[in-house]
Amino acid sequence: MKILIVEDEVKTVQSLKKGLEEHQIEVEFAYDGLTGKRIAEEGNFDVIISDVVMPKMTGFELVKSLRSVGNDTPILLLTAMGATDDKVVGFEAGADDYLVKPFEFKELLVRIRALARRGKDGSQVKTILSFSDLEMNLDAKTCHRSGKKIDLTPKEFALIEYLIRNQGRVVSKSEIAEKVWDINFDTGTNVIEVYVSYLRNKLDRPFDKKLIHTMFGLGYVLKEEE
């Protein structure tokens, strides 16, 4: 697990960092809101922990700024302000949890782990998936490339969804059969090749840039042409 701590009290940061690293949690930190915002946008974190009252940008402003650009990393706010109104402001800004100082380290650890699990679960149910100029809306069951709507059958939709979720990684035919078709792979069938061909006809051939690539003997990968 990797987390970001944004807190202006040096001793607090050092104490939390030491405790979390003892539990095999990688920690990065910032001492003001603006620096925290930059690190959060540049990095990939399982959880962000932020104080509320900080130099340059408050925790509320940090949360709102990250949410406005689509950063959905779970955020836990740490603060001495325990009033309900303060909590409402934090949650309305987009925070996921709120812990009032002083707190027990064990409670913080439990909250972090719960948020990390929630973040992973949430990543599996995002309603919009995208890669390059390809975009899928999982709720509306629509697919567009370069703004053009692509009509897909349910199985074609499920296949390209799986490739987008695993973009840049080679997925084997047996993995596709198990995850998309929910069957054990039958080496005597070419159903995977057939559906990949269907997708290429709809998603690749009408466009200049090809996204679906065959890795001979290995499987398929969704990536931009080099």
Side-chain angles (χ1 to χ4, degrees):
M1 192 191 306
K2 182 179 180 181
I3 72 168
L4 169 65
I5 298 175
V6 189
E7 163 69 69
D8 62 327
E9 294 182 6
V10 177
K11 289 185 178 179
T12 299
V13 172
Q14 292 174 342
S15 175
L16 292 179
K17 186 175 186 295
K18 181 177 183 294
L20 292 169
E21 288 179 342
E22 288 176 353
H23 287 81
Q24 289 74 53
I25 298 175
E26 183 180 349
V27 177
E28 289 193 29
F29 58 89
Y31 293 123
D32 65 79
L34 279 179
T35 303
K37 176 177 178 291
R38 176 182 58 78
I39 295 174
E41 291 175 341
E42 294 175 352
N44 185 19
F45 299 94
D46 295 290
V47 176
I48 296 172
I49 300 174
S50 176
D51 192 13
V52 170
V53 180
M54 296 184 295
K56 300 182 181 179
M57 175 180 280
T58 69
F60 295 148
E61 293 169 336
L62 171 62
V63 174
K64 189 175 294 186
S65 176
L66 292 175
R67 297 301 188 235
S68 71
V69 294
N71 187 317
D72 58 1
T73 303
I75 299 176
L76 170 67
L77 291 177
L78 298 179
T79 182
M81 301 185 299
T84 300
D85 287 347
D86 294 324
K87 293 182 180 180
V88 169
V89 172
F91 289 132
E92 288 296 314
D96 298 274
D97 203 355
Y98 212 110
L99 194 55
V100 178
K101 299 176 181 179
F103 53 84
E104 293 287 338
F105 179 77
K106 288 182 179 179
E107 181 178 1
L108 175 65
L109 192 59
V110 168
R111 301 279 190 101
I112 290 172
R113 287 173 172 164
L115 286 174
R117 287 195 298 271
R118 186 191 309 175
K120 290 177 181 178
D121 292 341
S123 69
Q124 297 301 310
V125 294
K126 287 181 180 178
T127 58
I128 303 295
L129 296 179
S130 62
F131 176 76
S132 186
D133 57 349
L134 181 64
E135 182 175 285
M136 301 179 71
N137 185 313
L138 303 186
D139 285 341
K141 298 298 182 185
T142 58
C143 180
H144 292 79
R145 182 164 183 193
S146 293
K148 178 182 178 182
K149 184 178 180 181
I150 310 294
D151 292 322
L152 300 175
T153 67
K155 193 57 68 177
E156 290 168 350
F157 191 92
L159 178 53
I160 191 60
E161 176 186 345
Y162 191 74
L163 291 176
I164 289 182
R165 289 192 185 280
N166 292 275
Q167 55 189 260
R169 182 175 75 85
V170 178
V171 292
S172 66
K173 295 177 185 178
S174 58
E175 180 179 347
I176 292 173
E178 178 185 353
K179 302 298 184 180
V180 180
W181 269 261
D182 196 25
I183 59 174
N184 292 323
F185 185 60
D186 180 1
T187 56
T189 181
N190 67 340
V191 65
I192 308 296
E193 292 95 326
V194 169
Y195 270 89
V196 169
S197 178
Y198 289 161
L199 283 180
R200 282 179 168 145
N201 286 332
K202 295 181 177 182
L203 296 177
D204 271 354
R205 290 197 170 90
F207 303 91
D208 294 331
K209 185 166 55 178
K210 309 308 177 188
L211 300 180
I212 304 172
H213 300 269
T214 300
M215 306 297 288
F216 292 101
L218 298 174
Y220 304 96
V221 60
L222 191 71
K223 65 178 184 178
E224 294 188 343
E225 289 181 318
E226 299 178 353

